[in-house]
Amino acid sequence: ASCSRTHRRWLNQPEPLAMVFIDIDRFQNVNHAWGHLAGDKALTSVARLVQSGLRAQDYLARYGGDEFVVILPNTTAESAFAIAEEIRARVAKTRFHVKGNRVPLTVSCGISALRGTDSFFNCLKRADQALDTARRRGYNCSVLHPDSGSQ
């Protein structure tokens, strides 16, 4: 289902719905040190790792550059945080190699949940703000936006 259809369905029958904004930490270092082919390999590997931890109804999209968005229907903010932490840990423990050299990859995650007559845009904006907080905390962590609250 497209994002707009998912949003319309949510407005008609509100159910918990959360978003996770994922960023590959220090991705530009991979491109600069190992080249764009290595960066492409890293993007593909991370996308596969994220997808492998999702359910059939979840939606993964590349947002741009080295960022991804996951839409989690029927998921509370707290459950989305747990999913983000599983994704983060899976990426951190995966061994990524380029030309025989191990290249450590980690991700940071920002999480938010839809509220009331909220829009996807506002929810995504809060998830992005939470992602900024994760980066300020030193990367390789997940942050739930404080306005997401319990669902």
Side-chain angles (χ1 to χ4, degrees):
S2 73
C3 291
S4 60
R5 274 189 300 205
T6 302
H7 186 240
R8 280 194 305 271
R9 186 176 64 224
W10 183 82
L11 287 172
N12 290 331
Q13 293 184 306
E15 63 185 27
L17 190 142
M19 291 185 188
V20 180
F21 211 137
I22 302 169
D23 181 56
I24 300 175
D25 297 330
R26 299 178 180 96
F27 180 72
Q28 65 278 8
N29 293 347
V30 174
N31 276 334
H32 290 127
W34 303 102
H36 290 282
L37 289 177
D40 289 346
K41 182 179 176 185
L43 285 169
T44 302
S45 296
V46 169
R48 273 195 218 112
L49 289 169
V50 172
Q51 187 68 53
S52 70
L54 300 179
R55 306 163 298 183
Q57 74 257 27
D58 299 336
Y59 182 80
L60 169 65
R62 184 172 172 196
Y63 190 74
D66 59 322
E67 297 175 327
F68 299 89
V69 174
V70 179
I71 298 173
L72 302 164
N74 202 23
T75 306
T76 64
E78 292 79 10
S79 295
F81 180 82
I83 291 168
E85 275 294 284
E86 288 172 15
I87 290 168
R88 187 198 57 73
R90 186 177 307 112
V91 171
K93 73 178 181 182
T94 298
R95 295 184 181 270
F96 178 71
H97 290 86
V98 174
K99 300 178 185 173
N101 297 295
R102 185 171 191 279
V103 177
L105 282 181
T106 59
V107 297
S108 296
C109 303
I111 302 101
S112 184
L114 280 171
R115 321 172 298 213
T117 57
D118 211 354
S119 71
F120 270 32
F121 176 78
N122 286 336
C123 186
L124 183 61
K125 183 176 175 183
R126 288 191 306 274
D128 189 31
Q129 291 167 346
L131 178 59
D132 286 341
T133 301
R135 290 180 188 130
R136 284 193 305 275
R137 289 184 183 172
Y139 300 98
N140 193 25
C141 65
S142 299
V143 172
L144 176 62
H145 193 278
D147 290 341
S148 292
S150 297
Q151 296 264 333

